[in-house]
């Protein structure tokens, strides 16, 4: 008889006893396969050492393909499970029925012929809870916070006391940020984080402004660079005396679009990206700025040939049309929390009334496959119509 090892010291049913039970149950031999599995409980159940996960087809495929599946989270975090591409929220669920763990249970390739045999099974665990998983957005808020511990301001500043905070490798970030590897790299790209000497570093805004100014100055001096695009190698060779090549390349790619040139890849300066940068540069420490004056100053800042447009300040600044004179001020979507309730509270503190076009840039990054901006507004905002335009205000009193 098959599989009788490692079973607790109990009286095991014989073939004759099994046949008697089947007879009492009025089950004919033609109604079952000649392979019976008898269940016995272990003398000591491992209920604390085993946990059950309910996984979907995507996670199963990842495991079958040999991909790494990791549970991430500090003590203060709710646990998440990450594949190489997705993040899932883990929550404990209860079931009214006991879930029995039977390691040697046979469920397939059973023959319909032959003599009756018995497989004695041992229940090693009996559980009433399991973990269910729900796809969720990567929790990237911590990424920005940890990278702000040691902002890069140039090689000459690396020995300063202000630049002795912890630096993070990819492995370090995967250990502490609740995101899949794919989502982590997407977050690093969105925050414009630079990879310097094996570490991910956030660039100091003033330092980045300095590098970009040199790139723009060089582009204006060199024939054809403004119109056709900047050759990466030539740009780096000229500026490498001032900055690390990886920094030059990073800043260049942040404010350009890759295009095909006659001799290879070129990087054409993006009007929208460059104009948005100079809008932020002008507003960052200015407080509320007279809108008309800002538009004139901004226009003078950008490279010749580029045209400014208030659309380029979406997610960077807010405009108050109700104040006299009209004003604009720095208000970055990147500084807002990931928690939706907290974000809406901050948004309505900053401005009591919003149009859809105004508020969308401050919510777009929280969209998922099941949650769009309209759904967020339906839950957290109240809609009304003023002067034939839909306006959104807070559902709760603004503190």
């Amino acid at each position: 008889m098959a599989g009788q090892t490692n079973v607790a010291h109990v009286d095991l049913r014989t073939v004759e006893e099994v046949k008697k039970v089947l007879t009492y149950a009025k089950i004919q031999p033609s109604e079952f396969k000649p392979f019976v599995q008898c269940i016995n409980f272990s003398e000591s159940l491992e209920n604390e050492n085993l946990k059950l996960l309910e996984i979907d087809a995507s996670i199963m495929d990842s495991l079958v393909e040999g991909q790494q599946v990791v549970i991430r989270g500090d003590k203060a975090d709710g646990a998440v499970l990450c594949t190489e591409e997705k993040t899932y929220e883990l929550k404990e669920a209860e079931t009214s029925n006991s879930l029995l763990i039977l390691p040697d249970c046979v469920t397939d390739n059973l023959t319909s012929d032959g003599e009756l045999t018995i497989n004695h099974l041992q229940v090693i665990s009996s559980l009433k809870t399991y973990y269910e998983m729900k796809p969720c957005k990567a929790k990237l808020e911590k990424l920005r916070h940890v990278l702000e511990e040691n902002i890069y301001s140039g090689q000459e500043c690396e020995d300063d006391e202000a630049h002795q905070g912890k630096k993070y490798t990819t492995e370090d970030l995967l250990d502490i940020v609740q995101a899949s590897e794919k989502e982590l790299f997407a977050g690093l790209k969105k925050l414009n984080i630079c990879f310097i000497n094996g570490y991910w570093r956030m660039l100091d805004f003033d330092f980045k402004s300095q590098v970009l100014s040199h790139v723009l100055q060089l582009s204006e001096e060199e024939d054809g660079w403004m119109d056709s695009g900047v050759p990466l190698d030539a740009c780096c060779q000229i500026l490498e005396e001032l900055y690390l090549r990886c920094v030059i390349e990073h800043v260049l790619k942040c404010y350009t679009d890759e295009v095909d040139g006659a001799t290879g890849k070129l990087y054409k300066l993006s009007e929208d990206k460059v104009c948005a940068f100079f809008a932020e540069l002008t507003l960052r420490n200015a407080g509320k700025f007279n809108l008309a004056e800002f538009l004139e100053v901004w226009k003078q800042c950008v490279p010749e040939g580029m045209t400014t447009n208030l659309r380029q300040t979406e997610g960077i600044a807010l405009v108050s049309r109700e104040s006299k004179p009209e004003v604009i001020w720095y208000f970055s979507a990147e500084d807002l929390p990931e928690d939706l309730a907290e974000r809406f509270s901050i948004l309505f503190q900053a401005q009591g009334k919003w149009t859809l076009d105004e508020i969308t840039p401050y919510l777009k990054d929280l969209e998922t496959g099941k949650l769009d901006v309209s759904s967020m507004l339906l839950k957290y905002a109240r809609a009304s119509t003023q002067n034939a335009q839909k306006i959104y205000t807070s559902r709760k009193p603004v503190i």
Side-chain angles (χ1 to χ4, degrees):
M1 285 183 276
Q4 293 191 22
T5 60
N6 298 322
V7 177
H9 298 295
V10 296
D11 292 333
L12 302 179
R13 277 182 172 165
T14 64
V15 170
E16 289 71 24
E17 289 172 330
V18 169
K19 287 181 177 178
K20 283 184 180 180
V21 172
L22 294 173
T23 301
Y24 293 150
K26 297 181 180 181
I27 298 176
Q28 301 300 316
S30 60
E31 296 178 298
F32 64 90
K33 296 181 184 293
F35 184 81
V36 175
Q37 303 188 80
C38 294
I39 298 174
N40 295 286
F41 278 82
S42 169
E43 292 178 343
S44 58
L45 297 177
E46 300 180 14
N47 292 346
E48 295 302 317
N49 297 330
L50 293 174
K51 301 296 179 186
L52 294 178
L53 294 177
E54 183 181 56
I55 62 176
D56 63 12
S58 175
I59 299 175
M60 177 61 78
D61 291 341
S62 297
L63 291 171
V64 171
E65 292 169 6
Q67 295 182 19
Q68 189 179 44
V69 176
V70 184
I71 294 177
R72 295 192 170 111
D74 291 333
K75 290 182 179 180
D77 300 325
V80 299
L81 182 141
C82 299
T83 64
E84 292 183 1
E85 296 188 350
K86 296 180 180 179
T87 299
Y88 298 82
E89 190 175 36
L90 275 177
K91 285 195 174 179
E92 191 174 45
E94 292 187 1
T95 175
S96 58
N97 298 318
S98 294
L99 302 169
L100 305 181
I101 310 301
L102 298 161
D104 301 317
C105 187
V106 179
T107 59
D108 53 11
N109 298 323
L110 299 177
T111 179
S112 299
D113 303 316
E115 292 295 320
L116 179 67
T117 59
I118 301 176
N119 183 29
H120 291 285
L121 299 176
Q122 184 181 44
V123 176
I124 64 170
S125 183
S126 175
L127 303 172
K128 286 186 173 291
T129 62
Y130 65 96
Y131 286 96
E132 58 184 9
M133 286 174 292
K134 183 174 71 173
C136 67
K137 283 185 65 67
K139 302 178 187 298
L140 296 170
E141 196 167 357
K142 185 181 290 185
L143 178 62
R144 182 185 182 95
H145 293 328
V146 298
L147 293 175
E148 286 176 339
E149 293 175 13
N150 192 347
I151 293 177
Y152 184 80
S153 303
Q155 283 300 109
E156 66 277 6
C157 299
E158 285 296 271
D159 294 330
D160 293 352
E161 185 177 342
H163 293 83
Q164 298 308 306
K166 181 173 173 57
K167 294 183 288 188
Y168 294 87
T169 64
T170 301
E171 290 70 26
D172 293 333
L173 293 175
L174 285 171
D175 282 342
I176 60 176
V177 177
Q178 293 184 292
S180 68
E181 187 168 332
K182 180 179 179 180
E183 292 166 326
L184 175 68
F185 283 123
L188 290 166
K189 183 176 181 180
K190 181 184 173 184
L191 291 174
N192 290 329
I193 306 302
C194 186
F195 193 64
I196 304 173
N197 298 329
Y199 298 97
W200 292 101
R201 307 289 299 277
M202 182 179 289
L203 300 186
D204 174 74
F205 185 82
D206 291 336
F207 172 74
K208 182 167 59 175
S209 174
Q210 188 182 69
V211 179
L212 180 60
S213 295
H214 277 102
V215 170
L216 292 174
Q217 182 181 346
L218 186 60
S219 300
E220 291 175 332
E221 293 173 354
E222 297 293 329
D223 186 38
W225 285 19
M226 287 294 291
D227 296 327
S228 303
V230 179
L232 178 62
D233 286 338
C235 180
C236 289
Q237 286 173 9
I238 295 171
L239 296 179
E240 269 184 314
E241 292 184 3
L242 300 174
Y243 312 109
L244 294 178
R245 181 185 177 91
C246 60
V247 172
I248 303 167
E249 184 173 337
H250 173 78
V251 173
L252 182 63
K253 290 182 178 180
C254 283
Y255 297 98
T256 60
D257 298 314
E258 189 176 297
V259 295
D260 291 321
T263 58
K265 296 292 183 184
L266 296 175
Y267 293 87
K268 185 172 176 57
L269 289 164
S270 166
E271 181 175 80
D272 284 346
K273 293 175 184 176
V274 173
C275 288
F277 174 81
F278 279 103
E280 181 176 357
L281 180 65
T282 306
L283 292 171
R284 196 174 180 88
N285 299 309
K288 292 192 174 181
F289 205 132
N290 180 295
L291 180 60
E293 293 177 3
F294 163 75
L295 291 174
E296 187 59 34
V297 171
W298 184 27
K299 181 179 178 181
Q300 299 300 320
C301 289
V302 302
E304 186 177 350
M306 290 191 176
T307 303
T308 58
N309 188 309
L310 274 178
R311 171 185 52 79
Q312 296 159 343
T313 67
E314 290 179 354
I316 296 174
L318 289 179
V319 174
S320 174
R321 300 289 187 182
E322 296 180 357
S323 62
K324 301 298 178 186
E326 296 176 343
V327 295
I328 184 171
W329 68 98
Y330 180 68
F331 189 74
S332 175
E334 290 183 356
D335 297 332
L336 297 175
E338 289 183 347
D339 181 81
L340 257 178
E342 289 181 36
R343 181 170 295 200
F344 269 97
S345 176
I346 292 173
L347 289 175
F348 286 120
Q349 285 174 22
Q351 188 166 283
K353 299 176 182 179
W354 295 77
T355 65
L356 181 61
D357 289 342
E358 287 173 338
I359 203 168
T360 295
Y362 294 96
L363 298 174
K364 198 76 175 171
D365 63 303
L366 296 181
E367 284 189 319
T368 64
K370 296 182 179 180
L371 183 69
D372 58 14
V373 170
S374 296
S375 301
M376 298 179 210
L377 289 169
L378 187 63
K379 182 175 181 179
Y380 291 98
R382 180 178 287 109
S384 60
T385 302
Q386 296 181 13
N387 300 322
Q389 186 175 38
K390 185 171 282 190
I391 298 295
Y392 294 93
T393 56
S394 178
R395 283 188 175 275
K396 298 179 179 179
V398 178
I399 301 175

